[in-house]
Amino acid sequence: MRPLLPRLLPALCSAAARALLARRAVPMALRPAEGAARAGGDARSAAPEHDGLENIQQKKIFKESKEETQQSEVPCAADSVDSLMAEMPFVDTDIEDEHAMHATSELSIKKKRKRTTGRDIEEGTERKKKKNKQYHPNYFISLPITNPKITGSIQAVQDAIVQKDQRLSKAMVRSGSLHVTMLVMHLSSEEEISIAVGALSDSKVFVDDLLKGKRVDLSFQGIDHFRNQVGFANLAENDHTALLKEIAETMKKIFQEKGIMTGEERAFKPHLTFMKLSKSTELRKQVKKIDSSLYEDFKNHYFGDEILHRFDLCSMLKKKQPNGYYYCESSIVFGKSHEADLVKEALRRETQALLPRLNQIKELLTSPEIRTKISKELFEDRHNSNSKWKSCIDSESPNA
């Protein structure tokens, strides 16, 4: 309390003095008027000189009050502090306690704000998680890799890596799933899937216009990585790569105009992923980073060229096809010259699917027991046929 007194005393003194003087001055100023009221009609009949004296007396009173007020504004002496303080309404209040209450109140407000801020952050985080979950990509536009030279070279690299680290076998991408991602999106309903199919179909006109009948060869050479979590084959930079980037940008705009969310705003970097740790949760606990020395021998390896001929709208979550490729909602094909290649590719896939069954039939035919059984059945059928023919001749039937 003592440190505050020097700052409070001038204000307290001035306020107290004004209050006391105001209380004294008002009755004094009113006395002539009260006397005039009591005088009644006598005041009305009084001489003009009396009115003049009364006005002089009032002016004198107000002048004295003004002088006393000016004197009271001078700092009070120390011995008058106690008497002035005694008249103040907060005389029994402990200022230190009041300050402590104020500090506690401020601390409580800060804690409350902190808790509120924490809730805001948590709610914001929850909303962000919900939003990220809601718009997490589940579909993508794929450029499938079908050149056997590329898929074979990728398989050779994968085998070499797995020989050095068996754990990474779980990180390898199957040859049937190899592709280049053009863009990703989130489709939450059948209606949105239908809109995306329409957007892909609309893209064909613009892509054909960009290609202008040209054949686009995409060369894959060298290996790189994303933060040692993903291994991929590089797409060599050339005019065709620049054209592919322009196609990706055009398709992205078309899908966005249809109201389809098309993922991140990062620059398009075409690449062919063949290995990623995210394929296995268990693997990510064991292996934090992929050692680049595992594929050092293939750092500048040439994998081959892929002819751009098709884009697919694929699902990340639906069951894959038997050959390992993603579930495909729709496709667009470029150029008449590629139709024959597509037919050949389809026949090749069908033949590969039939090969296991043909091998089983071969194994059955090479078995002595099966061959004996087949011969017996053929002999019996032949014998029965001959018997029927002979009986017809012996009966000399006209039908014979």
Side-chain angles (χ1 to χ4, degrees), residues 179-206:
H179 69 280
V180 174
T181 301
M182 298 297 291
L183 70 153
V184 298
M185 66 198 74
H186 178 86
L187 305 177
S188 58
S189 65
E190 289 297 326
E191 181 181 359
E192 290 188 357
I193 294 174
S194 178
I195 294 173
V197 170
L200 179 61
S201 179
D202 293 344
S203 300
K204 177 174 170 51
V205 177
F206 293 92

Side-chain angles (χ1 to χ4, degrees), residues 279-310:
K279 283 181 65 66
S280 172
T281 305
E282 181 181 352
L283 177 63
R284 295 189 71 173
K285 295 178 181 179
Q286 300 174 0
V287 182
K288 301 300 180 182
K289 291 184 178 181
I290 299 173
D291 188 357
S292 60
S293 64
L294 296 175
Y295 50 83
E296 186 65 30
D297 296 340
F298 300 90
K299 200 72 175 178
N300 300 311
H301 181 74
Y302 171 70
F303 293 94
D305 293 350
E306 179 70 29
I307 300 173
L308 176 62
H309 65 278
R310 190 176 93 230

Side-chain angles (χ1 to χ4, degrees), residues 62-260:
F62 282 107
K63 184 177 181 182
E64 290 175 355
S65 298
K66 184 177 181 181
E67 290 175 355
E68 289 179 2
T69 302
Q70 291 175 349
Q71 291 176 359
S72 68
E73 290 178 357
V74 179
C76 299
D79 56 359
S80 64
V81 171
D82 294 335
S83 61
L84 292 172
M85 290 289 291
E87 297 188 33
M88 305 308 291
F90 51 83
V91 64
D92 296 327
T93 303
D94 190 336
I95 296 180
E96 290 182 358
D97 291 344
E98 187 176 350
H99 182 269
M101 290 171 63
H102 180 66
T104 305
S105 177
E106 284 186 343
L107 183 61
S108 176
I109 291 172
K110 288 181 180 178
K111 287 183 178 179
K112 186 176 180 181
R113 286 177 179 172
K114 187 175 181 180
R115 288 195 297 269
T116 305
T117 305
R119 285 198 301 271
D120 292 342
I121 293 172
E122 289 176 0
E123 291 175 0
T125 304
E126 290 297 325
R127 286 195 297 268
K128 187 175 181 181
K129 287 181 179 179
K130 186 177 180 181
K131 183 176 180 181
N132 289 340
K133 185 177 180 180
Q134 183 179 359
Y135 292 105
H136 188 76
N138 58 352
Y139 277 82
F140 65 102
I141 299 299
S142 166
L143 189 166
I145 302 300
T146 59
N147 185 350
K149 177 176 174 57
I150 297 177
T151 56
S153 296
I154 291 292
Q155 184 66 56
V157 173
Q158 291 174 331
D159 292 342
I161 293 174
V162 171
Q163 285 181 359
K164 297 178 182 178
D165 191 340
Q166 292 288 336
R167 299 174 300 175
L168 293 177
S169 61
K170 298 178 181 179
M172 299 305 168
V173 178
R174 290 179 58 184
S175 59
S177 300
L178 294 174
H179 69 280
V180 174
T181 301
M182 298 297 291
L183 70 153
V184 298
M185 66 198 74
H186 178 86
L187 305 177
S188 58
S189 65
E190 289 297 326
E191 181 181 359
E192 290 188 357
I193 294 174
S194 178
I195 294 173
V197 170
L200 179 61
S201 179
D202 293 344
S203 300
K204 177 174 170 51
V205 177
F206 293 92
V207 175
D208 282 334
D209 185 57
L210 289 173
L211 295 178
K212 296 178 181 178
K214 297 178 182 177
R215 169 172 163 164
V216 178
D217 294 324
L218 303 174
S219 294
F220 292 92
Q221 183 171 6
I223 295 178
D224 205 346
H225 64 87
F226 292 133
R227 295 176 298 174
N228 293 108
Q229 302 290 311
V230 177
F232 60 88
N234 274 318
L235 186 59
E237 290 288 343
N238 52 37
D239 293 341
H240 290 178
T241 307
L243 182 59
L244 184 66
K245 292 180 179 180
E246 188 176 358
I247 291 172
E249 189 62 29
T250 301
M251 295 180 71
K252 183 175 182 179
K253 289 179 181 178
I254 293 171
F255 274 79
Q256 288 178 342
E257 288 173 357
K258 295 281 187 178
I260 301 296

